[in-house]
Amino acid sequence: MAPNSFSLSSRVRLANELYMPRIHLGVYLTSGRECSKAVRYALDAGYRAIDSAQMYNNERETGEAILDFLSSSSNTTSLKREDIHFTTKLATNSSYQTARKSISQSVKESGLGYIDLFLLHSPYGGKSKRLESWRAVEDAIDAGEVKTGGVSNFGIKHLQELILSNPRILPAVNQIEVHPFNTRTELTQFCQSLSILVEAYAPLVRALKMKDPTISALSSKYQCTPAQLLVRWSLQHGYVPLPKSVTKERIVANGRVGGFEIGEGDMRRMDGLDEYLVTDWDPVDCP
């Protein structure tokens, strides 16, 4: 069982020996001013990591909000660019040259100088394009445009394929949908056996299960919100959750998960809710 020490300042060590925050704000399906405000709410609340993507069309807003915060009076501890972790993702696996240019464009679009974590957003496109795109990530790391490379929505067979290709750099992260209603135990255990950190997107189950009887009962027991319970479940499994909200109060609350610890029996009870609930896409078995 993980110790009761999680906070927005907690960091986890990756396989490449770099560190990143344990909780990230997700900005999926937010755009324009709404995205900028959500990022600023999060940074003001103590979040130090934001998860964007080319497909979200909000890299620029995210980057601008980060830079605005760093130069503002709200930055009372004199944080610098390197203190804020920025993730984005390749929209489409493609040829090496196309992927390489796309990564450089994300660096330019964000205005942040470099990308802390760059992911292949999905395994779609077939083996050749996956491997070519990964080679582009490796070279972007060598060029200093990217600090850490990873993948998203990769199943076991996709990870095995990449590993068997003898890459110069192994993926440090696999970002997948995972929560008590879709535990993906085989995949998460496979990742952890290879020291590939699991990032949990849709950790709040897109609010579809907030009134589930087990979630409600345990939220009452631990005197927390259902969202806080779900974030804490991810953390205690060793995952990095990406709770998404655009509401200031919920953004603040979702990061306050250090005041309780879910007991082992209740963790098993939550694990038992698994029904392979997919709230969006599910590319982990694609060819």
Side-chain angles (χ1 to χ4, degrees), residues 35-231:
C35 177
S36 300
K37 289 172 66 177
V39 173
R40 186 57 186 268
Y41 292 152
L43 295 172
D44 285 344
Y47 286 73
R48 297 296 176 254
I50 311 295
D51 180 84
S52 180
Q54 294 175 352
M55 199 180 293
Y56 303 168
N57 293 312
N58 57 22
E59 292 173 317
R60 178 175 295 176
E61 289 87 350
T62 299
E64 288 177 350
I66 290 171
L67 293 176
D68 286 347
F69 167 78
L70 290 174
S71 63
S72 74
S73 59
S74 298
N75 182 12
T76 57
T77 56
S78 300
L79 295 170
K80 300 178 181 178
R81 162 65 185 95
E82 55 265 30
D83 298 311
I84 309 297
H85 192 278
F86 173 69
T87 298
T88 191
K89 313 176 192 76
L90 184 71
T92 306
N93 294 324
S94 56
S95 68
Y96 168 85
Q97 290 293 344
T98 300
R100 187 68 188 86
K101 289 178 181 178
S102 187
I103 296 170
S104 295
Q105 180 58 33
S106 281
V107 176
K108 181 179 179 181
E109 188 76 8
S110 71
L112 294 172
Y114 62 88
I115 294 164
D116 294 278
L117 176 62
F118 192 90
L119 309 177
L120 303 187
H121 205 151
S122 82
Y124 288 139
K127 178 179 179 178
S128 177
K129 290 182 178 179
R130 284 192 290 268
L131 297 182
E132 285 285 292
S133 295
W134 182 252
R135 189 161 63 88
V137 173
E138 291 179 319
D139 286 354
I141 292 172
D142 290 343
E145 291 186 337
V146 171
K147 298 292 186 183
T148 299
V151 295
S152 181
N153 296 296
F154 270 45
I156 291 175
K157 64 183 178 182
H158 305 121
L159 293 168
Q160 290 174 327
E161 168 193 277
L162 180 53
I163 292 165
L164 289 172
S165 73
N166 295 314
R168 292 186 295 108
I169 300 172
L170 289 171
V173 168
N174 188 16
Q175 185 182 122
I176 55 177
E177 177 174 357
V178 61
H179 44 70
F181 300 90
N182 190 350
T183 60
R184 298 190 191 271
T185 303
E186 185 179 5
L187 176 54
T188 58
Q189 289 180 348
F190 182 79
C191 289
Q192 291 174 330
S193 73
L194 295 172
S195 298
I196 296 173
L197 184 81
V198 173
E199 284 192 331
Y201 75 76
L204 307 183
V205 207
R206 305 207 194 281
L208 296 174
K209 294 289 188 176
M210 295 303 189
K211 296 183 179 179
D212 174 87
T214 299
I215 299 300
S216 295
L218 292 178
S219 298
S220 296
K221 176 179 179 178
Y222 291 105
Q223 298 183 320
C224 64
T225 68
Q228 288 170 330
L229 184 79
L230 291 165
V231 170

